[in-house]
Amino acid sequence: MTDDGNRSADRERLAEAEAEAEAERIRQDVEDAADDPAAQGEWIRQSNLTYGGLAAAGLVMVQPFLTEASLDTSALVCVIAFAVSIPLLAALLVLNRQEEFRRRTTKSVSVAIAKAIAQASAFAGIAAGFWHMSLIAGIVFLAMGCIAVGVHSSGYVQLEYDSRFRARFRPGKSRP
């Protein structure tokens, strides 16, 4: 290999090492941010809003099916999905009160799984309920739900991981 080739390879290794070090710093900053009690408190408040809203939507959407003798497929999916989600959402709301009291969030794997199941089944229940009313409404709900996740994610990233993000969590620096 020539000197130019060696220097180029050295620069590439150095750039790769710097990129890995920067990625590790960012990962550590995100972990530090996740351990911030103020951030955890806000996540608990947002979770309360989400879980309460989904449970209320479930109760409203299931109500018309209570007196039906038989249900078509979309109505049955709606009812079963909310039969799964409503108890889990209620348990998560109660857990959130305990988290709020302790001023920290749980890191339990079973809770993370319950959150995913509760939210996914509530979304499926709402989609099935709209589908039962109108095929077009069900499709529109699914499409807008996907767009809404993108909108929320984009806004969240812009708010939480702006250019000053890492400076807020560096050791020795005061927090804003």
Side-chain angles (χ1 to χ4, degrees):
M1 240 183 163
T2 66
D3 280 345
D4 289 339
N6 287 337
R7 279 183 262 172
S8 177
D10 288 343
R11 280 193 300 269
E12 286 178 23
R13 281 192 291 275
L14 181 60
E16 187 176 308
E18 288 174 352
E20 287 177 13
E22 180 66 8
E24 178 58 28
R25 281 191 298 274
I26 291 171
R27 186 195 64 74
Q28 186 60 48
D29 290 343
V30 169
E31 275 185 25
D32 292 346
D35 290 336
D36 181 20
Q40 289 185 6
E42 181 57 24
W43 293 339
I44 292 167
R45 285 186 293 279
Q46 289 178 14
S47 294
N48 282 335
L49 181 63
T50 300
Y51 303 151
L54 289 174
L59 293 171
V60 168
M61 293 204 72
V62 169
Q63 191 175 17
F65 302 127
L66 293 175
T67 57
E68 293 294 318
S70 66
L71 302 172
D72 68 1
T73 304
S74 59
L76 187 60
V77 168
C78 177
V79 170
I80 291 171
F82 283 119
V84 170
S85 71
I86 290 172
L88 288 174
L89 292 166
L92 291 168
L93 280 166
V94 173
L95 175 61
N96 276 0
R97 291 295 298 153
Q98 186 65 24
E99 289 176 329
E100 194 170 35
F101 174 72
R102 294 290 175 201
R103 292 189 173 99
R104 60 187 169 94
T105 57
T106 182
K107 296 188 183 349
S108 167
V109 172
S110 61
V111 171
I113 292 169
K115 288 177 181 182
I117 291 170
Q119 291 176 27
S121 61
F123 184 78
I126 295 170
F130 277 116
W131 200 283
H132 176 75
M133 291 180 253
S134 161
L135 174 67
I136 294 170
I139 292 169
V140 168
F141 177 79
L142 290 172
M144 294 311 295
C146 293
I147 290 170
V149 168
V151 168
H152 177 267
S153 297
S154 174
Y156 181 85
V157 167
Q158 287 296 315
L159 286 170
E160 296 298 325
Y161 302 105
D162 62 6
S163 61
R164 296 168 304 204
F165 174 74
R166 288 196 296 267
R168 293 186 298 210
F169 298 100
R170 288 215 172 102
K173 292 209 175 189
S174 63
R175 294 185 186 218

